[in-house]
Amino acid sequence: MLSAMIVDDEAPARSELCYLLEETGRVDGIDEAASAREAVEKIIENRPDVLFLDISMPKTTGMQLAEALHKLKNPPAVVFVTAYSEYAVNAFDVDAVDYLMKPVETERLGTALDKVEARAVPAAPASHTPQERIPVEKGGRKVLVPVDQIRYIEAKDDYSCIYTDNDRFLSTISLAQLENRLAPHGFFRVHRGYIVNLEHVEDVEVVSSGILQLGLDGIPDKKISVSRRRVVQLKRALGI
């Protein structure tokens, strides 16, 4: 069961989302805050697993609060809940798990909770399913690639490029969809444009600009940069 906090300056919006969360049966203990300042005090005191955060609030916005949470050692997962779709791109920059539009639909809320739970344990060995395979395009035909053969995935326009140790495949599945599908299998989105298989991370290097780069076994000529927003969670996932 997850613990949650709803941060929204509008009381009716908080009450509606609280009701929807209780209906899922997956959240135990829901706190509320009407401002970013109140939220910070309660987050430090109660340590919720996930924050359902409105973006448009007086004084400190939800986006500013999400940015400030990175100063915490173990920040809660953030799910934005807003009436404004134009902030969706910026949501990834502050490491948001999901982005829900008001009025919130029950099915989308369930998907967001799935993502929060997957993020909490990104590399759990017990959840590996060797039979899981990803459909890709190769030579004009469909090929099914076992997930344990995948080293990393790179975003290519509207497609995803899937790399194994000796081949490359094109997939019509978006990077966001692959992130949700592969998280239980030990994959981690380290950057806006990359997902890596944590089992194949061979080395972690700090380059001159302070950016982390990952080296993968079987692919000696490729280094993958890690978004600054993802560094803390990645280190935790790798146990370093």
Side-chain angles (χ1 to χ4, degrees):
M1 298 285 280
L2 296 168
S3 59
M5 179 183 294
I6 301 169
V7 185
D8 196 314
D9 60 307
E10 298 181 355
R14 296 198 306 271
S15 297
E16 174 66 16
L17 184 53
C18 184
Y19 170 78
L20 292 176
L21 286 170
E22 289 174 344
E23 285 294 295
T24 68
R26 299 169 62 180
V27 179
D28 182 21
I30 304 172
D31 207 348
E32 297 183 25
S35 67
R37 181 174 180 177
E38 181 184 359
V40 170
E41 295 175 354
K42 291 187 175 182
I43 289 169
I44 294 174
E45 180 180 356
N46 300 325
R47 299 291 182 181
D49 297 314
V50 56
L51 210 61
F52 289 89
L53 180 58
D54 185 28
I55 289 180
S56 181
M57 295 190 296
K59 296 183 179 179
T60 303
T61 67
M63 200 67 72
Q64 290 171 324
L65 174 57
E67 175 72 25
L69 291 178
H70 290 289
K71 297 178 181 178
L72 298 178
K73 184 176 181 181
N74 295 302
V78 172
V79 174
F80 283 116
V81 185
T82 178
Y84 303 97
S85 61
E86 60 265 31
Y87 296 110
V89 174
N90 294 334
F92 182 82
D93 290 334
V94 292
D95 202 25
V97 172
D98 208 346
Y99 190 97
L100 302 180
M101 293 296 298
K102 295 179 179 178
V104 176
E105 298 178 354
T106 302
E107 184 176 349
R108 277 293 288 119
L109 181 59
T111 300
L113 292 174
D114 289 341
K115 292 181 179 181
V116 171
E117 292 172 348
R119 175 75 67 87
V121 190
S127 64
H128 281 231
T129 307
Q131 294 77 20
E132 176 75 15
R133 296 182 292 178
I134 303 298
V136 298
E137 300 285 343
K138 186 68 174 179
R141 61 193 179 93
K142 286 284 186 181
V143 178
L144 297 175
V145 178
V147 297
D148 57 3
Q149 292 183 12
I150 299 172
R151 295 303 198 266
Y152 72 97
I153 306 170
E154 182 178 6
K156 291 288 188 181
D157 298 322
D158 294 330
Y159 300 90
S160 299
C161 199
I162 296 177
Y163 292 83
T164 63
D165 61 343
N166 58 8
D167 212 338
R168 180 179 65 177
F169 305 93
L170 192 65
S171 174
T172 56
I173 305 175
S174 71
L175 208 67
Q177 290 173 310
L178 287 171
E179 177 189 12
N180 190 40
R181 183 169 175 175
L182 293 174
H185 299 277
F187 286 75
F188 191 89
R189 190 166 184 175
V190 298
H191 188 276
R192 184 190 298 269
Y194 289 98
I195 296 173
V196 300
N197 186 340
L198 296 182
E199 279 195 358
H200 294 288
V201 174
E202 193 169 52
D203 61 80
V204 181
E205 177 184 4
V206 181
V207 297
S208 57
S209 59
I211 298 293
L212 284 187
Q213 286 189 339
L214 303 180
L216 304 177
D217 63 62
I219 309 180
D221 299 326
K222 179 67 177 180
K223 294 291 185 179
I224 297 177
S225 296
V226 179
S227 167
R228 294 182 187 276
R229 314 287 186 212
R230 298 284 178 139
V231 167
V232 173
Q233 288 181 324
L234 176 66
K235 286 183 175 180
R236 189 184 306 134
L238 291 173
I240 60 177

